[in-house]
Amino acid sequence: MTSSGEKWVTDNTFKPIVVDRENDVLFVTRNLFQLHDNRRELKVETTGLNYRLAVPFAPHLFGSGKTTFCRSYLELVQRFRETSLSSFASDPSRKEFLDKLREAVLLYVDMTELKPTDPKEKSLEWALYYLMVEAAYLSVGEEPKDEEDVYKECRTHSYKLVKKIRTILNMRSDQFLLVAFDEVGVLDTRGQYFDLEVNDEGRVRPYNDFFGIVRGLCKQDNVFFIVVGKSKGLSIKNYTASVSKVLLHFISLSPLNWSSIVEFLEKSHLKVQTQIRVCDILCNRSFSVNELAEALLEYTGGVPGLLTRAVNMLLNYVQTRGQPFRLRKECLSCMNEDGFRTVCSDPFVTRISTLDEDRRSVLDMLLMMALYRIPFKADDELNSESYLFDVVTEMGFYRYPIDDNTFQVLFPKVFIINLKNASSFSLLEKILLGSLNMEPVDCFFSSKCRVFEGIVAIRLVLMLSSTIRNEFRELLGRLSAIWKEMELPIHGPSPLDYMMSVSRGEARSESNKKRKTYGCNEWNEIIHKALCFDRVYTSKEVNSYSPDIMFKLHSPDDSNVLMVGVACKGRWKSEGIGWSDIIEEAKKFLDPVFNEFLSQALECYYCMLIIVGTKLALNVASELGNQSRCYTSGMLIGGNSFRIPPNCELVILCERDVEVLIDREILSGLERAFSTSDNPPFGDLGFNLLRRARDSFMSLQESWNSYNSSVCSIIGSARFVFENIL
């Protein structure tokens, strides 16, 4: 398969190694041992606190590595025996189990081959039995026997089936048989072909029948199961637990992190020239494998299938031209090409590009969760009929586990090229997609204020671009004469850009490689860059001298230009935001901007800093008279401790006017969510709060749409602002 021009080829040219699955192997091994240790209880069906069958289950999306994992599980057991499995084997009974597991035989069963089978066409149990026998024959290179012949031998007796499979595979009776059912999600559609149990509500649950059959097979000695596939995992888990006496334990199969991608590149080899490592083909001395891993993480999100496809494409490209990448910029330029991203993501985006109306209604909320790194719990409900855990998979997104019960929504950047220009997407969806397209890895992950800043930034995008008069713009017009001269609305809403921050110290990437950041004397370059674009920017770095949000305005005749910085102070403590906090923000923005840029620029350039605080200290609120105020050039603030520089203004919003920018309900929700921690994964934002944020965006979007439908086609065209200076 190639892109137009034959440039991007997806031919498999290397053997990818499985990395970063130690925890998953340990998890599955513990589950299998539980069955081994409690099989007698499963057989006798005792009442009371008897053992309930636990089955390792991976209900993940295409590309998550579930097939690779179940096929390579026994090999991984061997690999991790002396590392992650060593503590597990410290007990004699578990060591004995692990020794036997090393000799186990894997029977891989592809459920996509499931179909009604003679002579009992309506029996799901018989269809599964024959599918297992057929898989056993094929695994040893033999032609499967006729259905009628196999039925005469086994019928639907589990002990006869297991004996038949052991005979085909030439196994001892005491040897472990591990059956891996893959693509179990086919039951969503093929369950209709079989006579299945009808519950008290008159509904058919094919997974209940399926796991009931698995439970029966687990009563046979030395037989174990792993089940993987795309399906409504949490709904199935809850229902089977209550009806089938089966506990499904989720295998996390996390997307790979940076260090795992480095290992993947260093240990994977070419198919033909097996002694040559992938990283040696792609990188040279001036472009390290660490930098390549960073780029791949940013574009693929670490999704194994997507990562493998991207690496294959880069290998084919490099081998065709006969030389490796020399610079990080060169590699990023290739991965940023529309052709590369279209071909790389094509098989992965089918689901999200064909969503039905019900699922499309929550697309913008999932995009917000992906952009702001907002976590959710495994049992969070989207509505009375579906869980968010399942909806993420149904819609073509990935889940990134934070812990056993907490997840983030992952939407790989490489997907966006196939979606952002679709006419069916709303204005808000296009802004969110465009913002994800430019977002650096973990931009919003570091603190609660990043979520606050992100919501404010999108509100600003919509407010500044709306042709309808809105209260926030009019408020600033009353406070500032310079603002009043500016041309509004700006030229159509666009995605958020991510500006290079002025760092307090030396920033380092995850690979520990120094990355260029600006010192305090380099504002001149930043401002010149920012003045070239009509966009709203947010800072990449959390601890920086930059404001949290920055944008540019100009007068209708371009005679005056105003650079605006917004400092979002998300604080709900009793003391509130004091003068020292405000002066700190003014000193780190207004002073260097004046010293490094405005003092040498034409008179037509101005700078404004807006303080958006969730709670002001009493002395600040009192001096403001409980209303917003603008301090202009030469004025003193904070007990005469700071003077506003020439051509600069400082606007402090009172709490009442902050609620014009971001709704009180949202502010209250953020306060509750982050009352105990600064780190989003440990705060429960809740889906209702997310709905309120979405609704606040939608109210502005609807106003914008009523006046600006003619410019919607330009939304979504996005690029990194400072890609050439990283």
Side-chain angles (χ1 to χ4, degrees):
M1 176 181 176
T2 63
S3 66
S4 58
E6 302 296 320
K7 182 175 183 179
W8 297 115
V9 182
T10 61
D11 297 342
N12 295 323
T13 58
F14 78 108
K15 294 180 179 179
I17 187 173
V18 181
V19 297
D20 190 35
R21 291 295 179 238
E22 291 95 332
N23 291 336
D24 295 317
V25 169
L26 178 59
F27 175 83
V28 171
T29 303
R30 283 174 172 165
N31 276 269
L32 299 183
F33 175 73
Q34 285 183 18
L35 170 58
H36 177 71
D37 202 37
N38 295 276
R39 201 183 303 266
R40 187 179 63 83
E41 288 189 52
L42 186 67
K43 290 180 180 181
V44 298
E45 300 283 358
T46 57
T47 59
L49 298 176
N50 59 304
Y51 169 71
R52 301 184 71 186
L53 173 64
V55 177
F57 182 37
H60 297 295
L61 193 62
F62 172 64
S64 60
K66 56 189 182 301
T67 299
T68 300
F69 177 79
C70 67
R71 280 184 173 274
S72 59
Y73 168 73
L74 293 178
E75 174 193 333
L76 295 173
V77 167
Q78 299 276 26
R79 186 192 301 177
F80 302 138
R81 180 178 175 82
E82 303 301 327
T83 54
S84 57
L85 290 176
S86 60
S87 59
F88 170 83
S90 59
D91 177 86
S93 62
R94 291 199 294 263
K95 183 180 184 301
E96 181 184 359
F97 170 79
L98 199 58
D99 288 339
K100 294 191 69 174
L101 192 59
R102 294 175 64 187
E103 299 179 346
V105 174
L106 174 71
L107 177 62
Y108 174 80
V109 182
D110 184 358
M111 291 279 286
T112 60
E113 300 298 323
L114 180 70
K115 58 184 181 295
T117 306
D118 291 333
K120 297 183 67 174
E121 289 191 347
K122 293 295 184 179
S123 170
L124 175 61
E125 184 176 28
W126 166 240
L128 285 171
Y129 277 25
Y130 182 75
L131 188 61
M132 292 170 66
V133 171
E134 185 179 44
Y137 275 119
L138 293 174
S139 70
V140 295
E142 294 185 19
E143 187 72 22
K145 287 190 177 181
D146 183 74
E147 296 96 323
E148 294 280 357
D149 294 336
V150 176
Y151 183 73
K152 290 177 182 178
E153 287 186 64
C154 301
R155 297 192 180 272
T156 51
H157 299 302
S158 58
Y159 71 94
K160 290 185 177 181
L161 170 72
V162 173
K163 183 178 179 181
K164 175 69 174 177
I165 291 173
R166 288 186 181 280
T167 300
I168 298 170
L169 300 178
N170 194 27
M171 294 177 62
R172 304 188 312 270
S173 61
D174 65 340
Q175 196 172 0
F176 286 178
L177 171 64
L178 176 62
V179 181
F181 280 118
D182 193 7
E183 298 295 349
V184 71
V186 301
L187 290 171
D188 289 336
T189 54
R190 298 190 190 176
Q192 63 182 311
Y193 301 130
F194 303 99
D195 287 334
L196 303 177
E197 183 179 347
V198 179
N199 64 16
D200 295 338
E201 300 172 351
R203 300 180 66 177
V204 170
R205 304 272 189 175
Y207 294 96
N208 179 44
D209 294 73
F210 171 78
F211 283 107
I213 295 166
V214 170
R215 187 174 185 275
L217 288 168
C218 284
K219 294 178 182 180
Q220 301 303 309
D221 289 337
N222 301 323
V223 179
F224 304 88
F225 289 87
I226 298 175
V227 180
V228 302
K230 299 183 289 292
S231 55
K232 297 181 180 180
L234 190 57
S235 298
I236 295 167
K237 176 181 178 179
N238 292 343
Y239 193 78
T240 54
S242 64
V243 178
S244 302
K245 300 180 182 179
V246 175
L247 298 177
L248 303 181
H249 291 179
F250 291 155
I251 311 170
S252 63
L253 296 182
S254 304
L256 305 181
N257 59 21
W258 168 82
S259 60
S260 296
I261 296 177
V262 170
E263 182 184 1
F264 177 82
L265 295 169
E266 289 180 336
K267 293 184 177 180
S268 295
H269 294 75
L270 297 185
K271 272 188 174 181
V272 178
Q273 298 168 295
T274 56
Q275 75 282 6
I276 300 180
R277 302 184 305 169
V278 166
C279 60
D280 295 331
I281 297 294
L282 295 177
C283 306
N284 71 356
R285 293 178 182 177
S286 59
F287 177 56
S288 71
V289 65
N290 292 347
E291 291 177 297
L292 176 59
E294 283 184 337
L296 287 166
L297 177 61
E298 183 168 324
Y299 279 84
T300 68
V303 175
L306 194 57
L307 172 68
T308 300
R309 188 173 175 87
V311 171
N312 263 317
M313 293 173 64
L314 293 176
L315 280 172
N316 281 300
Y317 173 72
V318 164
Q319 289 176 315
T320 299
R321 73 172 190 169
Q323 61 181 18
F325 293 111
R326 298 181 180 275
L327 299 171
R328 181 175 186 271
K329 176 183 174 182
E330 182 186 10
C331 181
L332 284 175
S333 177
C334 283
M335 294 174 67
N336 205 35
E337 285 188 19
D338 286 356
F340 177 91
R341 297 169 77 171
T342 300
V343 174
C344 187
S345 63
D346 182 62
F348 295 84
V349 297
T350 302
R351 184 170 294 206
I352 195 170
S353 60
T354 56
L355 294 174
D356 60 33
E357 188 174 342
D358 287 343
R359 287 293 174 255
R360 274 298 306 276
S361 66
V362 295
L363 175 61
D364 48 15
M365 284 190 283
L366 288 190
L367 290 173
M368 285 171 60
M369 294 180 75
L371 177 62
Y372 299 148
R373 306 298 169 92
I374 296 173
F376 66 94
K377 299 296 183 183
D379 57 355
D380 281 351
E381 292 185 353
L382 176 65
N383 51 49
S384 60
E385 295 185 353
S386 58
Y387 294 96
L388 191 55
F389 182 94
D390 293 339
V391 170
V392 170
T393 300
E394 288 179 56
M395 293 183 62
F397 290 68
Y398 292 87
R399 295 181 298 264
Y400 190 94
I402 304 301
D403 56 41
D404 289 343
N405 194 48
T406 311
F407 303 86
Q408 285 180 333
V409 177
L410 173 63
F411 190 68
K413 183 182 292 187
V414 75
F415 284 7
I416 295 168
I417 186 64
N418 281 339
L419 301 173
K420 67 180 183 178
N421 294 319
S423 59
S424 61
F425 285 99
S426 70
L427 175 59
L428 176 59
E429 290 164 351
K430 290 178 179 179
I431 290 174
L432 292 168
L433 284 167
S435 301
L436 279 163
N437 191 38
M438 292 179 287
E439 178 220 10
V441 174
D442 288 345
C443 180
F444 284 103
F445 186 69
S446 300
S447 75
K448 64 184 179 184
C449 282
R450 300 299 285 174
V451 180
F452 176 40
E453 294 158 14
I455 294 174
V456 169
I458 289 187
R459 292 273 297 177
L460 281 170
V461 168
L462 294 168
M463 285 179 169
L464 293 173
S465 58
S466 175
T467 54
I468 299 177
R469 298 168 61 187
N470 60 68
E471 191 176 351
F472 180 73
R473 288 196 336 220
E474 291 188 352
L475 167 67
L476 291 175
R478 292 193 301 270
L479 293 173
S480 166
I482 297 175
W483 178 282
K484 198 170 184 178
E485 294 180 18
M486 297 299 108
E487 181 180 20
L488 288 169
I490 59 177
H491 300 304
S494 65
L496 302 178
D497 265 292
Y498 298 86
M499 63 187 180
M500 198 65 177
S501 304
V502 179
S503 176
R504 294 179 186 230
E506 194 71 55
R508 290 180 181 270
S509 64
E510 191 176 2
S511 66
N512 230 19
K513 180 180 176 61
K514 291 182 180 179
R515 178 181 290 166
K516 179 176 174 58
T517 57
Y518 290 98
C520 295
N521 61 347
E522 296 179 275
W523 268 106
N524 195 352
E525 187 171 355
I526 282 188
I527 298 301
H528 275 300
K529 290 285 185 180
L531 287 174
C532 296
F533 300 92
D534 286 310
R535 297 200 187 279
V536 175
Y537 309 119
T538 66
S539 172
K540 283 184 180 180
E541 308 293 340
V542 176
N543 297 317
S544 73
Y545 281 99
S546 311
D548 301 311
I549 303 167
M550 193 159 62
F551 57 92
K552 178 200 73 173
L553 299 175
H554 55 82
S555 58
D557 59 0
D558 290 328
S559 59
N560 290 317
V561 177
L562 175 63
M563 176 58 63
V564 183
V566 180
C568 298
K569 309 292 288 184
R571 186 177 300 171
W572 291 275
K573 295 180 181 178
S574 57
E575 63 268 22
I577 298 160
W579 282 114
S580 61
D581 301 301
I582 294 170
I583 291 171
E584 179 186 11
E585 293 292 339
K587 283 182 176 180
K588 74 183 186 184
F589 180 51
L590 296 180
D591 270 353
V593 169
F594 173 75
N595 293 334
E596 298 297 325
F597 179 75
L598 294 182
S599 61
Q600 305 169 34
L602 300 174
E603 288 293 320
C604 63
Y605 288 97
Y606 298 88
C607 182
M608 173 188 286
L609 175 64
I610 303 174
I611 304 293
V612 180
T614 54
K615 184 175 183 179
L616 298 176
L618 290 176
N619 63 333
V620 175
S622 176
E623 185 170 329
L624 294 178
N626 291 314
Q627 60 184 358
S628 299
R629 185 172 176 183
C630 177
Y631 294 88
T632 59
S633 301
M635 296 181 70
L636 294 166
I637 64 169
N640 299 330
S641 59
F642 181 78
R643 185 183 298 275
I644 306 299
N647 282 24
C648 294
E649 291 185 339
L650 172 67
V651 173
I652 305 174
L653 298 182
C654 67
E655 293 176 32
R656 180 185 65 252
D657 289 336
V658 169
E659 294 176 21
V660 174
L661 188 57
I662 183 168
D663 299 349
R664 164 49 51 188
E665 285 188 350
I666 298 173
L667 290 171
S668 298
L670 289 171
E671 178 181 7
R672 290 191 299 271
F674 300 119
S675 60
T676 59
S677 172
D678 283 343
N679 203 341
F682 301 100
D684 183 12
L685 276 164
F687 211 64
N688 288 333
L689 174 61
L690 200 60
R691 287 184 195 274
R692 286 197 291 270
R694 190 274 301 266
D695 291 345
S696 76
F697 296 151
M698 293 295 289
S699 63
L700 291 170
Q701 173 186 297
E702 289 165 3
S703 298
W704 192 93
N705 282 342
S706 63
Y707 283 81
N708 297 274
S709 58
S710 61
V711 298
C712 285
S713 60
I714 68 170
I715 306 307
S717 56
R719 55 191 169 92
F720 284 105
V721 182
F722 301 124
E723 59 183 356
N724 294 325
I725 56 177
L726 276 173

